[in-house]
Amino acid sequence: MRTHYPVHLLLCILLVSLAVGCGRKDPVTEAEAAAGSEEASPDVDDSSSGPVTFEAQTLDGSTLSSDLFSDSRITMVNVWATYCNPCLREMPGLGELASSYDSGDFQLIGIISDVMEGADEKTLKKAEDLVTQTGADYPHLLLNESLYTALLKEVSAVPTTFFVDQDGQILDTVIGAMEKSGWEETIDALLEE
């Protein structure tokens, strides 16, 4: 029981910090944050010197690692929570985006920030039902220490979305939900670079 204490404490701290930011109405990119937007969260830093590395279990029980970044020019990593209405409202559009681009150019994965690996069946079923109801048909990773360290340590609100290149480098971070058309503009701009 003692060996799980640090992980549970870490999860509690993360959940409290994510709950505070769930209701953000306007998405904020790192470029806007650098320009001094009042809505920006100073806690998100995508200027890390190394690539994002992790290994985590998906909602369906398979294991994925950061090696998946090499499969597409751009990977959109959407961090969401089961209690977050803005997250759930944007997920149908994200589900459409996941299948509308060539997989060599773009892929999308979700991270369920309030469901840990090894969660009970009731919690997993709730997350599975939300994914099905929203049509978010793309891989969803369960929170673990590896994901927390790689991506979620500086996340202060959900949804938070990272755009990662083939080498695992974070290109951009967006805090808040967007409509499908807004995401398409962001994705298209990153693919043109």
Side-chain angles (χ1 to χ4, degrees):
M1 186 71 165
R2 285 185 172 183
T3 60
H4 296 290
Y5 179 75
V7 173
H8 289 283
L9 179 61
L10 185 70
L11 177 61
C12 289
I13 292 168
L14 178 64
L15 290 175
V16 169
S17 66
L18 292 174
V20 172
C22 177
R24 181 180 300 281
K25 291 182 180 177
D26 299 320
V28 179
T29 66
E30 283 301 299
E32 291 168 332
S37 169
E38 291 178 14
E39 291 293 310
S41 169
D43 297 332
V44 178
D45 178 15
D46 61 0
S47 61
S48 63
S49 58
V52 173
T53 58
F54 68 85
E55 184 173 297
Q57 198 173 68
T58 64
L59 192 54
D60 68 8
S62 59
T63 300
L64 289 178
S65 73
S66 49
D67 292 342
L68 68 86
F69 295 133
S70 65
D71 296 339
S72 294
R73 289 177 48 212
I74 303 292
T75 301
M76 181 177 181
V77 180
N78 180 256
V79 182
W80 64 282
T82 60
Y83 60 82
C84 174
N85 287 329
C87 300
L88 299 174
R89 280 194 302 269
E90 79 173 344
M91 285 170 65
L94 295 179
E96 292 171 12
L97 283 174
S99 62
S100 65
Y101 286 86
D102 177 83
S103 63
D105 287 330
F106 174 79
Q107 66 182 336
L108 195 148
I109 62 170
I111 297 175
I112 312 170
S113 63
D114 64 332
V115 178
M116 286 197 63
E117 283 184 9
D120 61 81
E121 286 300 316
K122 182 180 176 182
T123 302
L124 293 172
K125 176 79 169 111
K126 177 181 178 181
E128 288 171 358
D129 289 347
L130 290 171
V131 167
T132 300
Q133 290 167 12
T134 59
D137 189 24
Y138 46 88
H140 295 271
L141 301 174
L142 302 175
L143 184 63
N144 66 13
E145 191 171 351
S146 175
L147 274 176
Y148 177 79
T149 302
L151 282 167
L152 278 68
K153 191 168 29 174
E154 301 298 327
V155 170
S156 62
V158 290
T160 292
T161 302
F162 300 96
F163 289 93
V164 184
D165 70 11
Q166 288 178 304
D167 299 321
Q169 298 292 330
I170 296 175
L171 302 173
D172 198 7
T173 304
V174 179
I175 302 169
M178 264 200 272
E179 296 293 324
K180 179 184 171 187
S181 60
W183 288 123
E184 286 173 326
E185 287 178 26
T186 302
I187 294 163
D188 292 344
L190 288 169
L191 288 172
E192 287 177 14
E193 289 179 6

